[in-house]
């Protein structure tokens, strides 16, 4: 996030005033009937943002639009994580009340999320490294973060629907 702020400080006004609207992604996700097809919706709002923003396919605008959608996904991710955590704590508690030794859903969820964050960060660092210091690093990293955050969000949301 800090790199985005530093990048935008020297950017033209059009990059600072991006035309981000999550609508294209929201509509796409709502129309899907499974996790795999919903994952294909990630990035639709970022692409629309690039198309609607002056200079939209300049690397700084590409990064800003992708980061804006990633932040939208991150808000959904945090909500889904909190709901999954509450459901996991309740499930562990119910199991203990009836004398079962719970599998430890809360602990497993926390460990999974920590491991996912490390995986996402490592994967996106590798994606940025493919650009060898070039200007494509920003969009590559932001796009990777967007895709991976969307994937994790949808996975957690799907798990909530199965509870």
């Amino acid at each position: 996030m800090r790199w985005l702020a530093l990048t935008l400080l020297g950017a033209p006004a059009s990059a600072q005033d991006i035309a981000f609207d999550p609508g294209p992604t929201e509509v796409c996700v709502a129309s899907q009937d499974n996790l795999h097809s919903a994952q294909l919706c990630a990035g639709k709002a970022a692409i629309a943002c690039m198309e609607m923003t002056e200079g939209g396919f300049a690397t700084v605008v590409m990064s800003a639009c992708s980061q804006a959608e990633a932040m939208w996904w991150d808000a959904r991710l945090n909500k889904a994580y909190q709901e999954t955590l509450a459901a996991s704590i309740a499930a562990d508690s119910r199991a203990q009340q009836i004398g079962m030794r719970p599998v430890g859903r809360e602990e497993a969820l926390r460990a999974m999320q920590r491991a996912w964050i490390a995986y996402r960060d490592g994967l996106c660092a590798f994606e940025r490294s493919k650009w060898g210091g070039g200007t494509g690093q920003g969009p590559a990293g932001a796009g990777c973060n967007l895709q991976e955050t969307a994937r994790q969000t949808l996975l957690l949301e799907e798990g909530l629907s199965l509870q």
Side-chain angles (χ1 to χ4, degrees):
M1 184 67 166
R2 191 168 156 222
W3 67 267
L4 178 62
L6 293 172
T7 302
L8 293 178
L9 288 175
S14 63
Q16 294 172 357
D17 300 321
I18 61 170
F20 180 76
D21 172 11
T25 299
E26 289 175 325
V27 168
C28 182
V29 169
S31 70
Q32 304 306 311
D33 61 355
N34 64 64
L35 177 65
H36 177 70
S37 59
Q39 288 176 0
L40 300 175
C41 297
K44 291 205 179 285
I47 291 169
C49 172
M50 291 172 215
E51 291 171 348
M52 296 184 315
T53 300
E54 183 181 338
F57 291 95
T59 56
V60 68
V61 178
M62 292 168 65
S63 293
C65 289
S66 292
Q67 187 62 31
E69 185 173 340
M71 290 169 60
W72 176 80
W73 279 109
D74 193 56
R76 280 181 68 150
L77 174 71
N78 289 330
K79 181 177 184 274
Y81 178 78
Q82 291 304 318
E83 290 174 7
T84 304
L85 181 61
S88 297
I89 291 169
D92 287 349
S93 178
R94 282 190 305 274
Q96 285 178 335
Q97 288 172 358
I98 61 171
M100 294 176 61
R101 288 184 46 208
V103 173
R105 284 177 52 178
E106 175 189 4
E107 183 180 320
L109 174 66
R110 290 181 191 274
M112 181 269 304
Q113 193 68 4
R114 281 191 298 270
W116 170 76
I117 290 168
Y119 168 77
R120 179 206 58 203
D121 291 350
L123 177 66
C124 294
F126 177 66
E127 288 300 317
R128 284 189 306 276
S129 77
K130 292 177 182 178
W131 291 87
T135 59
Q137 282 188 46
C144 176
N145 187 51
L146 183 165
Q147 293 295 321
E148 293 307 311
T149 303
R151 188 180 339 271
Q152 185 71 357
T153 300
L154 293 166
L155 186 118
L156 287 174
E157 288 177 348
E158 181 184 57
L160 283 168
S161 69
L162 299 175
Q163 300 206 30

